[in-house]
Amino acid sequence: MQSYTLTIDKFLDHAAKWSGDREIVSAQAGEVVARIGYADLRERANRLSGALESLGLKRGNRIGTLAWNTQHHLEIYFASMGVGLVCHTLNPRLTAAHLAAMVNEAQDRVLAVASSLAPLMAELAPLCPGIEHIIWLDGDLPSPVGPMGQGLRSWAYESLLQTCGAATPWGDFHEETAAGLCYTSGTTGPPKGVFYTHRSNYLHTLRALQADAVALTGSDSLLVAVPMFHANAWGLPFAAPAVGAKLVLPGRHTDGASLTRLMRDEGVTLAAGIQTLWLDVLDHLDAEGGELPDLKRVLIGGSKCPDTLIRRMEDRLGVQVQTSWGMTELSPLGTIAPPGAQASGSSASGRPPMGLDLKLTDAEGTTLAVQRGVVGHLKAKGASVVDRYFRADRDALDAEGYFDTGDLASIDEAGNLTICGRTKDLIKSGGEWINPAEIEEIVGQAPAVGQVAVIGRFDPRWGERPVLIVEPRQGFTLDPAALIATLRGKVAQWWIPDEIVQIRSMPLAPTGKIDKHQLRAEYSNEDNVVQGAKR
């Protein structure tokens, strides 16, 4: 057989040759600002590779990105990876101090930054002495907003491409070469870096494209509302060119009105994003009316989706909802409900596609003899699963080569995975464990509930007691007694929360998940519970 290295540049090469006119659409606030075909995008990204090398970047060097879902960001993806540079995606919703820690540990030499983030960059640059160049994306050079650091050179993206761009060979390196770097959200401790190789991303793409997984085709119009700075945007920027799908990039604005307009105007058939986005879309449609006639499927990830939201989406939009589970360390797809599977009535997140294996263990790491119908500690193994964290001095695997996800989970007889909670979120009350995820699942089904979280609060007698925190659904009024009633008979009496806190808006982490760190800081002390209702 021929030698064929599994490098990411081949996806865009394939799209340029066989789907050259298929569009990549970029938008701002729901309005299209740019259209380009795969062939032209490939040509621009390839010349940008030459421009990056002209800045002195060598294979293995890291280029950080602080950017939204735009054409320029996509070109940076392929331009950097195509010549063996490492694309280090950074979350612009983090503080300058947190970003600086990642930039400095990664030893990024160049930052590609959205022009709208100039104020953040002014804070960040003085904290990152290793940065030599800033490339401003999605606009002209921004007006000066403060000192950017001595000797730091700024480039307007289009000017750099025109001045220094040159056709450059792609993929002339081993497939195990690092391609991307992404830091975890830090939900169980300080953020840790995960290196993706070309081979791991290539195989992850093939896994995601399976018929029982994302099942993306060239006839699809795909909205990527997953941030491109978060876990490879679930791998969709690679999957779309691999099959020649139309790619719709919403930019910074992912509010309900902007996404609705964009999906309608661009004939989106498949949309991907976290559940909070779809709440906004549904609320906008309920308030303003209208339909999304072309939308067929919605892929939800990020955190477990309440069954009430799934039913609401299916009924209002007439779509099939595909639930999924993944994490940064898995590149990120772990499990997904197959197209055509019935999502309503089940909290399961689907099955693992070929290429990923799962197992359940006890708390000490011993594999459970029975793997179906029991709750255990979830571990994963595969070609796109982390081996060792960036800068770590040892592997993050057990003796059989499995990675501990930190999740509690069960697997039913059909192989469907249900995440039962995070081990770090468990509440120990009177020496016994309470699982917040089970309480959240039940309360989240109430029609008046928008979002729900359960945290532990110190208790002098029991050690910890659960506090139920609820954001009401728009237009609804919460009845605390009714919420408690939904739990009776479904969980042990001593699991029932002692307090209910109603808040206007649930705090979200930069990844879009509910920020339990902030909730614990505000409500884990009884003195801070100011809107509670005793059960």
Side-chain angles (χ1 to χ4, degrees), residues 194-359:
V194 177
F195 254 146
Y196 305 116
T197 67
H198 281 262
R199 180 177 186 272
S200 71
N201 276 342
Y202 198 104
L203 294 176
H204 179 273
T205 302
L206 299 184
R207 178 153 53 91
L209 289 174
Q210 290 177 37
D212 277 343
V214 178
L216 186 66
T217 73
S219 62
D220 278 310
S221 175
L222 170 66
L223 173 75
V224 180
V226 187
M228 288 176 63
F229 54 74
H230 180 53
N232 286 329
W234 298 354
L236 298 173
F238 305 132
V243 296
K246 179 178 178 179
L247 188 59
V248 182
L249 303 173
R252 181 175 190 168
H253 303 282
T254 55
D255 57 278
S258 296
L259 290 183
T260 298
R261 177 176 180 177
L262 191 57
M263 286 190 286
R264 183 183 296 128
D265 291 350
E266 297 304 318
V268 167
T269 59
L270 172 61
I274 60 174
Q275 61 176 281
T276 51
L277 299 182
W278 310 121
L279 280 170
D280 288 346
V281 168
L282 290 169
D283 288 343
H284 174 77
L285 288 172
D286 286 347
E288 303 296 331
E291 304 293 335
L292 296 173
D294 297 299
L295 190 62
K296 299 297 186 293
R297 291 187 288 143
V298 173
L299 175 60
I300 295 183
S303 58
K304 186 191 294 187
C305 186
D307 187 56
T308 50
L309 175 57
I310 294 175
R311 289 199 301 268
R312 186 181 171 200
M313 293 179 68
E314 291 175 335
D315 293 343
R316 179 63 181 85
L317 302 177
V319 300
Q320 189 220 341
V321 175
Q322 286 181 263
T323 53
S324 65
W325 163 80
M327 56 195 310
T328 304
E329 291 91 337
L330 272 58
S331 300
L333 180 61
T335 62
I336 185 170
Q342 184 64 36
S344 291
S346 172
S347 59
S349 58
R351 295 163 51 91
M354 171 60 193
L356 183 79
D357 189 34
L358 304 173
K359 73 173 181 178

Side-chain angles (χ1 to χ4, degrees), residues 446-464:
V449 173
Q451 298 198 78
V452 58
V454 175
I455 62 170
R457 188 193 68 210
F458 172 75
D459 185 274
R461 180 177 182 184
W462 302 108
E464 285 185 302

Side-chain angles (χ1 to χ4, degrees), residues 111-168:
L111 287 183
V113 185
S115 298
S116 62
L117 295 171
L120 174 60
M121 193 61 221
E123 293 183 62
L124 179 62
L127 305 177
C128 303
I131 296 298
E132 302 165 18
H133 300 270
I134 301 176
I135 303 171
W136 295 102
L137 311 178
D138 313 323
D140 297 325
L141 285 172
S143 301
V145 290
M148 286 290 184
Q150 190 172 8
L152 189 60
R153 185 167 183 183
S154 289
W155 300 84
Y157 183 97
E158 294 295 339
S159 175
L160 174 66
L161 183 60
Q162 182 177 358
T163 303
C164 304
T168 308

